[in-house]
Each structure stands twice: as C-alpha cells, then as structure tokens.
Amino acid sequence: MPVMEREPSDPTEHGRRDVDDSCAIASALLYHDRRLLPWLFLLAGAPSAIEAVVPEMPRLMFLLGLVVERLAQLAIMFGVAVRWRRRLEQQHARAPIEWRAFGRLCSFGFGLWFLCVVPLLAATAQPESPLLFPATLLFVVGIAWSLRYYFYFVAVALLGLGLTASAAAARSLTRRSPRAAVSSAIAPLGATFLLVSLCAMPYPDGRSLLWASAGAFFEATFWVLATYTGLAFALPLIDDREWRSAGLDPYRSDRIQTLRVQGKGQLADLLTPKRGCQALFLAALLFVSNSVRDFNQPPAAALALQGIAFGDNSIRVTVEASDPEYHLRGFLPLWFSVATSAGTPISSELVSAKEAEPAGVGDQEARQQRDRTVVTLEFRSAKTKEALEGQQDVWLWYEGTPMLPLKAAGAG
C-alpha cells in the first residue's frame, strides 16, 4: 500500500496563524484589563490634550510637557507589563517590584525618544536649516532602533532583566520573529491616525478647541494599544529558559493557550495587521480630504487691510485679523501669498510675518484669549517697483482663497 506523502506546511500560512494567535492574546489582555483602560487613556492622553488647550505656553513649559508625556507613556508600558507579570508568576513566588527597573526603562526609552523626537522638533522649527538632513537621518535611525528593541519593556518589566540583558533579550525576541514588532504596531497606528483624522474633520485648520484637544487626546490610543499588542506578540516568543528564570508560571503553554481561546472574536480581528492597514488607508483618505478642505476654505479670522507698500522685488502688507469666536486658533500667517485673482503667483515667498505685540502681552491668559492681531507681511517678488505698481490685478491670498484686493486698496 503506497504511503501518502505529507504536504509541506506553508510558512506564510503558519506566520499568519501566529499573528492571529498573538492578536487573540492581545484581545484577552485588553478584556481582562478593561476597567483599567480608561485610566490608562487618561494618563497618556491628558498631557497632549493640555498642550492643545494651551498652545502658546512658554518653551520651557512646552518641553517639560513633552517630558511628562513621555514619562506617562513609559509608566503605562511598565505598569501593564508588571501587572501581567503578577498574573503569570508562580504561586507563592512573587518578587517585590523593583522600581529600579522603571529607571532602566526610562533611560532606554528616553534615549530612543531623543533620537526620534528631538530631530523631528528641530526640523519642524527650522525647515530650511542646514541641520535638516542630519536631523532626518537621526530620526530614521531612531525609528530603526525602536523597532529593533521594540520589546525592551517586556524584557525589563516582565522578565526583570538588567539594562544590557534587557537589550539583548529584546533583540533576541525580534530575531525570532522579525515582523513581530511591525505586525503588533500596525493596528494601534491605524486606530490612532483614524481617530485623529476623524477629530479633524469638523474643523481641519484646528480652530475648534474642543476638536483639537480631542484629536490630541486620542494620540494616546497608540501607546495604550501598542503596549498590549507588544506584550501579546512577545509572550509566545520568550524562551522557556528565560520564562523559568523570571519565576513565571511553569504551565506556560496552558496559560498562553487559555488567553488565545479567551481572546478569539471581533476585537482580535480588529487588532490584526490587515485591519490596521485598512484603518491606515482610510485615515490617509481622510487626511487628504481634510488637507484639501483646509487649503480651500478661508480662515475663521476676518481680515482688514491696514497698509501696502511696493518696492523693488518686495511687497509689504499690513493686515488686521480679528476672530472673537475662535481666538485666532488655526490662523497661521505663513500661509499668506500674493497672486492675481485667478491664482497666478506674483509672490509666493513670504520672507517674514511680524505680529504687533498685543495689549497685556505679559499676561499669559490674555495672550491665549486674544481675538485680534496686526501682522506685517514681507514678500519677495521678481518684479520691480514700477512693474508691481503697474500691475492691475493684485490680491492677498490665504492658502487657496483670495482674501483682499491689494492694488485697489493701494491705488488710493
């Protein structure tokens, strides 16, 4: 009787099954911690929401807010991992929480954060700086290292390893499954960008304090979900020897299988990379739609021309912007340009935009609640003074909307 040969297993199908199992584990972890989740969202989202509510805070306070925000993210990662260490430990073998482990996580986490965030802030503050390329390079390196040591918090808080041992263990986990870090992060990224894009739909320029702070608050979605998905993807990858050395439950396979069975369902499906990619695609469509609407709608502020002066290769315009409803939120003078009424550029290069100091400039609350400002705009043009004065059709544009006829006002 001929022996039937066994079909070789499909590695792609095997990898997909492992991902689905890890998503089911993440779903179970989230279900067990469902009463804790609102507090985690509040801890992670409050700093960002406060920064959105107080946009003109001093630079030192802004930087301090970023540090507090990062501390909150690391505290969530550490707290959730320690919480599940307690649940997975052997009975009567609980070790005390080593708070120095949180210090190790902070030192490593802030190191990666500086590589990613500081260059990005520098590039945003001075987009034409010669340091833009090195900053971008550091940002790319920071992202690569973040993925390389994505499971560092698991090694520190769940396995209780030291600084260098945790780095080695985290790297070992990513070697065992090179796609695990990306697979665990896609759904949290997709959910976060989708929620932020939805919050931007009513007012794409950010003029609404309510929707802007809501969008900033929902940025916490990534850190909360990614903590659980990262932990869930790491649990099956941990070596048995490392598991036992950490004093965790000897019936490891049974505990993980129980979590897999408990987590099967709709939430597990939503946490898969496939659903994450779908959410990212939908968020990208909403982002493009919001950007187009933002570009083509006029600002909330009402504009009034205060003065205009033509010079050789230069145009100076002084405008007053008043906005008693939204207090100039979302109004950015850098979006001004000079063109014809049909949109033919006369000067799209804004050299400077200087705001007159408002009354009560020393009062921070008065600065945040001001409803008018006077801005002097300096544009560079390729035309001479005579050519500009002879131009019959000159308009001040804000993004994609013609706002004020400059030539008609300057003719008198």
Side-chain angles (χ1 to χ4, degrees), residues 26-27 29-44 76 80 83 217 220 224-225 227-228 267:
S27 174
L29 299 181
L30 287 166
Y31 176 79
H32 285 290
D33 286 357
R34 61 191 180 279
R35 293 184 178 86
L36 180 65
L37 292 178
W39 300 104
L40 297 181
F41 272 96
L42 185 62
L43 176 62
I76 288 172
V80 170
R83 176 181 175 86
F217 179 83
V224 175
L225 289 183
T227 297
Y228 283 93
L267 179 57

Side-chain angles (χ1 to χ4, degrees), residues 127-320:
E128 297 181 1
S129 170
L131 298 177
L132 178 60
F133 176 74
T136 305
L137 184 61
L138 281 176
F139 176 74
V140 173
V141 171
I143 294 297
W145 274 68
S146 297
L147 292 175
R148 185 185 181 96
Y149 297 100
Y150 190 81
F151 300 111
Y152 185 84
F153 77 100
V154 176
V156 169
L158 186 73
L159 300 180
L161 300 177
L163 187 66
T164 56
S166 293
R171 181 66 184 127
S172 178
L173 291 176
T174 56
R175 284 200 191 100
R176 291 167 195 165
S177 180
R179 298 181 182 179
V182 175
S183 297
S184 66
I186 289 178
L189 275 175
T192 303
F193 287 147
L194 183 58
L195 288 172
V196 172
S197 298
L198 287 171
C199 290
M201 284 184 65
Y203 301 98
D205 60 356
R207 68 183 67 174
S208 170
L209 183 62
L210 173 63
W211 288 106
S213 58
F217 179 83
F218 281 120
E219 292 175 6
T221 303
F222 173 79
W223 296 104
V224 175
L225 289 183
T227 297
Y228 283 93
T229 56
L231 180 59
F233 273 76
L235 285 176
L237 298 175
I238 297 174
D239 184 78
D240 286 334
R241 180 180 55 81
E242 295 172 338
W243 184 277
R244 290 191 300 270
S245 298
L248 300 179
D249 195 326
Y251 301 101
R252 172 192 177 189
S253 59
D254 292 339
R255 296 295 299 273
I256 292 179
Q257 181 61 26
T258 299
L259 290 173
R260 286 196 189 103
V261 174
Q262 291 176 342
K264 294 291 185 182
Q266 187 173 6
L267 179 57
D269 181 61
L270 293 175
L271 294 175
T272 59
K274 177 182 177 181
R275 298 301 182 190
C277 289
Q278 292 174 347
L280 282 172
F281 180 73
L282 181 57
L285 293 179
L286 288 176
F287 175 79
V288 172
S289 174
N290 291 337
S291 299
V292 171
R293 288 174 53 222
D294 180 24
F295 182 78
N296 289 295
Q297 72 178 12
L303 303 180
L305 187 65
Q306 297 291 304
I308 179 173
F310 295 115
D312 287 332
N313 308 117
S314 67
I315 305 172
R316 175 181 292 180
V317 181
T318 303
V319 294
E320 179 189 49

